Amino acid sequence: MYELVKKVVRMKVEGAEHVPATGPLLLASNHLSVTDSTFLPVALGRKITFMAKAEYFTGRGPWGRFVSWFMSRDGQVAVDRDDTRAAVRSLDSCLEVLERGDPFGIYPEGTRSPDGRLYRGRTGVAWLALRSKAPVVPVAMFGTDRVLPPGAIIPRPARVRVVFGKPIQLSAIATDPENARDRRAATDAIVAAIADISGQDYVPRYAPRATA
């Protein structure tokens, strides 16, 4: 199935040699479109669990109910972005995915980029990385924002390119997941690695949340 989708969307994958074939894996990616979570597993060739905003699990109407069913069936982790404590608690569920040896995907920016630039990372990615000690692979997505631009409902034909970078060595940067400075240092290193392979301009502030 993954190979078929690659051919249909003419996906180009680079850096696959940097990705461990088995075992726990933390994929830290830029975020351009809601389709990123569709194309990244295709590029990897393995099922990936992601965090998904809680609204996806409580949708109304035929489409909303379908999305809710799909998210629950696929085992995605719900996160309430308006409740900081709940969002922090959801990280425990994310950690369980890594502890059982599966891949987990996360967007350090916390939301889609509103303008194609790369924004400051939220430190949850560092907590997961330092706590799990799973390999951290930076990822750059290209073209997904043309497949489904913000506000669009129907996908459009566009070339998608996914680049996997070399695993990030965090041990010399930070070690304590409970230390705020360590989490910030590790997060900044992860975002910098994403910027290196994506070529995006970096914005040293948090991205505004997408409304569509």
Side-chain angles (χ1 to χ4, degrees), residues 2-26:
Y2 290 133
E3 292 302 321
L4 177 61
V5 175
K6 281 183 185 179
K7 291 179 181 178
V8 170
V9 300
R10 297 180 297 167
M11 178 186 289
K12 184 176 182 181
V13 178
E14 301 175 21
E17 68 276 8
H18 300 314
V19 185
T22 60
L25 175 65
L26 184 59

Short mmCIF file of all heavy atoms in Angstrom, two decimals, residues 2-26:
data_model
loop_
_atom_site.label_atom_id
_atom_site.label_comp_id
_atom_site.label_asym_id
_atom_site.label_seq_id
_atom_site.Cartn_x
_atom_site.Cartn_y
_atom_site.Cartn_z
N TYR A 2 1.91 1.29 0.87
CA TYR A 2 2.76 2.46 0.94
C TYR A 2 3.43 2.75 -0.40
O TYR A 2 3.49 3.89 -0.85
CB TYR A 2 3.83 2.27 2.02
CG TYR A 2 3.30 2.29 3.44
CD1 TYR A 2 3.68 1.33 4.37
CD2 TYR A 2 2.42 3.29 3.86
CE1 TYR A 2 3.20 1.35 5.66
CE2 TYR A 2 1.94 3.32 5.15
CZ TYR A 2 2.33 2.34 6.06
OH TYR A 2 1.85 2.38 7.34
N GLU A 3 3.93 1.70 -1.06
CA GLU A 3 4.61 1.89 -2.33
C GLU A 3 3.64 2.38 -3.40
O GLU A 3 4.01 3.18 -4.26
CB GLU A 3 5.28 0.58 -2.78
CG GLU A 3 6.45 0.16 -1.90
CD GLU A 3 7.54 1.23 -1.84
OE1 GLU A 3 7.83 1.85 -2.89
OE2 GLU A 3 8.07 1.45 -0.74
N LEU A 4 2.40 1.90 -3.35
CA LEU A 4 1.40 2.34 -4.31
C LEU A 4 1.12 3.83 -4.15
O LEU A 4 1.05 4.58 -5.14
CB LEU A 4 0.11 1.54 -4.13
CG LEU A 4 -1.07 1.94 -5.02
CD1 LEU A 4 -0.72 1.77 -6.49
CD2 LEU A 4 -2.31 1.13 -4.66
N VAL A 5 0.95 4.27 -2.90
CA VAL A 5 0.69 5.69 -2.66
C VAL A 5 1.87 6.54 -3.11
O VAL A 5 1.69 7.62 -3.69
CB VAL A 5 0.39 5.94 -1.16
CG1 VAL A 5 0.24 7.44 -0.89
CG2 VAL A 5 -0.87 5.21 -0.75
N LYS A 6 3.08 6.06 -2.87
CA LYS A 6 4.27 6.79 -3.32
C LYS A 6 4.22 7.05 -4.82
O LYS A 6 4.53 8.14 -5.30
CB LYS A 6 5.54 6.00 -2.99
CG LYS A 6 6.00 6.10 -1.56
CD LYS A 6 7.30 5.34 -1.39
CE LYS A 6 7.75 5.29 0.06
NZ LYS A 6 9.00 4.52 0.23
N LYS A 7 3.83 6.02 -5.57
CA LYS A 7 3.78 6.16 -7.02
C LYS A 7 2.67 7.10 -7.46
O LYS A 7 2.83 7.91 -8.37
CB LYS A 7 3.60 4.78 -7.66
CG LYS A 7 4.81 3.87 -7.52
CD LYS A 7 4.56 2.51 -8.14
CE LYS A 7 5.77 1.60 -7.97
NZ LYS A 7 5.53 0.24 -8.53
N VAL A 8 1.51 6.99 -6.80
CA VAL A 8 0.37 7.81 -7.18
C VAL A 8 0.67 9.29 -6.99
O VAL A 8 0.33 10.13 -7.84
CB VAL A 8 -0.87 7.41 -6.35
CG1 VAL A 8 -2.01 8.42 -6.56
CG2 VAL A 8 -1.35 6.02 -6.77
N VAL A 9 1.30 9.65 -5.87
CA VAL A 9 1.60 11.07 -5.61
C VAL A 9 2.99 11.46 -6.08
O VAL A 9 3.41 12.60 -5.89
CB VAL A 9 1.48 11.38 -4.09
CG1 VAL A 9 0.09 11.08 -3.60
CG2 VAL A 9 2.51 10.62 -3.27
N ARG A 10 3.69 10.53 -6.70
CA ARG A 10 5.05 10.79 -7.21
C ARG A 10 5.95 11.31 -6.08
O ARG A 10 6.66 12.30 -6.22
CB ARG A 10 5.01 11.78 -8.37
CG ARG A 10 4.25 11.27 -9.59
CD ARG A 10 4.24 12.29 -10.69
NE ARG A 10 3.54 13.50 -10.30
CZ ARG A 10 3.58 14.65 -10.97
NH1 ARG A 10 4.31 14.74 -12.07
NH2 ARG A 10 2.91 15.70 -10.55
N MET A 11 5.87 10.63 -4.96
CA MET A 11 6.64 11.04 -3.79
C MET A 11 8.12 10.71 -3.96
O MET A 11 8.49 9.63 -4.41
CB MET A 11 6.09 10.36 -2.53
CG MET A 11 6.88 10.69 -1.27
SD MET A 11 6.32 9.74 0.17
CE MET A 11 4.73 10.50 0.46
N LYS A 12 8.94 11.65 -3.54
CA LYS A 12 10.39 11.43 -3.52
C LYS A 12 10.84 11.39 -2.07
O LYS A 12 10.54 12.30 -1.29
CB LYS A 12 11.12 12.55 -4.26
CG LYS A 12 12.62 12.34 -4.35
CD LYS A 12 13.29 13.43 -5.17
CE LYS A 12 14.79 13.19 -5.31
NZ LYS A 12 15.45 14.27 -6.09
N VAL A 13 11.54 10.34 -1.70
CA VAL A 13 12.02 10.17 -0.33
C VAL A 13 13.55 10.18 -0.33
O VAL A 13 14.18 9.46 -1.10
CB VAL A 13 11.51 8.84 0.29
CG1 VAL A 13 12.05 8.67 1.70
CG2 VAL A 13 9.99 8.81 0.29
N GLU A 14 14.13 11.00 0.53
CA GLU A 14 15.58 11.10 0.64
C GLU A 14 16.01 10.85 2.09
O GLU A 14 15.29 11.18 3.02
CB GLU A 14 16.06 12.49 0.20
CG GLU A 14 15.70 12.85 -1.23
CD GLU A 14 16.09 14.27 -1.59
OE1 GLU A 14 16.97 14.83 -0.90
OE2 GLU A 14 15.50 14.82 -2.53
N GLY A 15 17.19 10.27 2.25
CA GLY A 15 17.75 10.06 3.59
C GLY A 15 17.19 8.86 4.32
O GLY A 15 17.38 8.75 5.54
N ALA A 16 16.54 7.95 3.61
CA ALA A 16 15.96 6.78 4.28
C ALA A 16 17.02 5.95 4.99
O ALA A 16 16.73 5.24 5.96
CB ALA A 16 15.21 5.92 3.26
N GLU A 17 18.26 6.05 4.52
CA GLU A 17 19.35 5.28 5.14
C GLU A 17 19.65 5.76 6.57
O GLU A 17 20.32 5.06 7.34
CB GLU A 17 20.62 5.38 4.31
CG GLU A 17 21.28 6.74 4.26
CD GLU A 17 20.70 7.69 3.21
OE1 GLU A 17 19.65 7.35 2.61
OE2 GLU A 17 21.29 8.76 2.99
N HIS A 18 19.15 6.93 6.94
CA HIS A 18 19.38 7.46 8.29
C HIS A 18 18.37 6.93 9.31
O HIS A 18 18.54 7.16 10.51
CB HIS A 18 19.29 8.99 8.29
CG HIS A 18 20.28 9.66 7.40
ND1 HIS A 18 21.60 9.31 7.38
CD2 HIS A 18 20.13 10.68 6.49
CE1 HIS A 18 22.24 10.08 6.50
NE2 HIS A 18 21.37 10.90 5.96
N VAL A 19 17.34 6.23 8.84
CA VAL A 19 16.24 5.84 9.71
C VAL A 19 16.37 4.38 10.15
O VAL A 19 16.45 3.49 9.29
CB VAL A 19 14.89 6.04 9.00
CG1 VAL A 19 13.75 5.74 9.96
CG2 VAL A 19 14.77 7.46 8.45
N PRO A 20 16.40 4.10 11.45
CA PRO A 20 16.42 2.70 11.91
C PRO A 20 15.20 1.94 11.38
O PRO A 20 14.09 2.46 11.37
CB PRO A 20 16.37 2.83 13.44
CG PRO A 20 16.89 4.20 13.72
CD PRO A 20 16.44 5.05 12.58
N ALA A 21 15.42 0.73 10.93
CA ALA A 21 14.33 -0.06 10.33
C ALA A 21 13.37 -0.62 11.36
O ALA A 21 12.21 -0.90 11.06
CB ALA A 21 14.92 -1.19 9.49
N THR A 22 13.84 -0.80 12.58
CA THR A 22 13.01 -1.37 13.63
C THR A 22 13.23 -0.61 14.94
O THR A 22 14.18 0.17 15.06
CB THR A 22 13.32 -2.86 13.86
OG1 THR A 22 14.71 -2.99 14.25
CG2 THR A 22 13.08 -3.67 12.60
N GLY A 23 12.37 -0.87 15.90
CA GLY A 23 12.54 -0.29 17.23
C GLY A 23 11.92 1.08 17.37
O GLY A 23 11.39 1.66 16.41
N PRO A 24 11.97 1.64 18.58
CA PRO A 24 11.37 2.95 18.84
C PRO A 24 12.06 4.02 18.01
O PRO A 24 13.26 3.95 17.74
CB PRO A 24 11.60 3.15 20.34
CG PRO A 24 12.79 2.30 20.66
CD PRO A 24 12.68 1.10 19.76
N LEU A 25 11.28 5.03 17.64
CA LEU A 25 11.81 6.08 16.78
C LEU A 25 10.97 7.33 16.97
O LEU A 25 9.74 7.28 16.91
CB LEU A 25 11.74 5.62 15.32
CG LEU A 25 12.14 6.62 14.23
CD1 LEU A 25 13.62 6.97 14.36
CD2 LEU A 25 11.84 6.03 12.85
N LEU A 26 11.62 8.45 17.23
CA LEU A 26 10.94 9.72 17.37
C LEU A 26 11.23 10.56 16.13
O LEU A 26 12.37 10.95 15.89
CB LEU A 26 11.40 10.45 18.63
CG LEU A 26 10.69 11.78 18.96
CD1 LEU A 26 9.19 11.55 19.15
CD2 LEU A 26 11.28 12.40 20.22
#
